[in-house]
Amino acid sequence: MSNRSISWAAALRELKSDRVARSAIREERLRTSTGLRGAPVLAMSAWRGHSGRRYVVVVQPLDTVDLVAEDPAVVLAVGRDEQGQASIAAVRVCPAGDPGFLGWLAACATRGAGELHSYRLAESGPERAAIAADLGGPIPTADVGGV
């Protein structure tokens, strides 16, 4: 048995700094297994925003051109490094049938994105804009344009 003394002040400082470090936007990979009752497996992941709120997203290849043809979404263009760590290249609030989506996809490809992560559970435009801001700061929307 070890009789090690612990500096509680140092331990609390370490915990506090760890919490600050973890508050950055980050991906939390979800483990998915075979589809339920024969349904195809959806590639899913989750992101934590600045607020700490968790957003579960569907992961699709970057060339999914019809991603927002039918339904609005908050779309993240994501790139991965050699270790598989994800980083958000760009975020877009897309209405259904977003006319600027293809141009945005092309710009994201030049920024190193290889995946699209879509979040569809927001019910209104302002809610989608707030989610996009939580995941990456001021976000250009379809009516403003840009990347």
Side-chain angles (χ1 to χ4, degrees):
M1 182 160 97
S2 174
N3 288 337
R4 208 171 74 172
S5 65
I6 297 175
S7 166
W8 286 107
L12 289 174
R13 231 182 356 264
E14 186 177 323
L15 283 173
K16 189 175 183 180
S17 68
D18 183 48
R19 187 176 340 133
V20 170
R22 286 185 290 125
S23 68
I25 297 170
R26 67 188 182 281
E27 181 187 34
E28 298 173 344
R29 309 260 334 237
L30 297 177
R31 290 182 2 159
T32 57
S33 59
T34 59
L36 300 173
R37 298 187 187 132
V41 176
L42 281 176
M44 299 180 78
S45 191
W47 285 88
R48 290 269 181 199
H50 288 291
S51 67
R53 187 171 169 199
R54 182 177 175 187
Y55 305 96
V56 176
V57 297
V58 175
V59 179
Q60 296 175 314
L62 188 66
D63 61 359
T64 309
V65 296
D66 60 348
L67 183 66
V68 293
E70 300 292 322
D71 298 309
V74 176
V75 181
L76 313 172
V78 176
R80 293 199 182 272
D81 63 14
E82 299 81 34
Q83 291 80 29
Q85 294 291 325
S87 62
I88 298 174
V91 179
R92 186 174 178 91
V93 176
C94 300
D98 183 356
F101 186 68
L102 293 179
W104 181 78
L105 275 181
C108 291
T110 64
R111 291 177 141 190
E115 302 172 351
L116 294 176
H117 294 201
S118 61
Y119 181 80
R120 298 184 183 274
L121 298 178
E123 295 183 9
S124 67
E127 187 179 355
R128 283 186 287 280
I131 291 166
D134 190 27
L135 289 170
I139 306 302
T141 60
D143 28 284
V144 176
V147 174

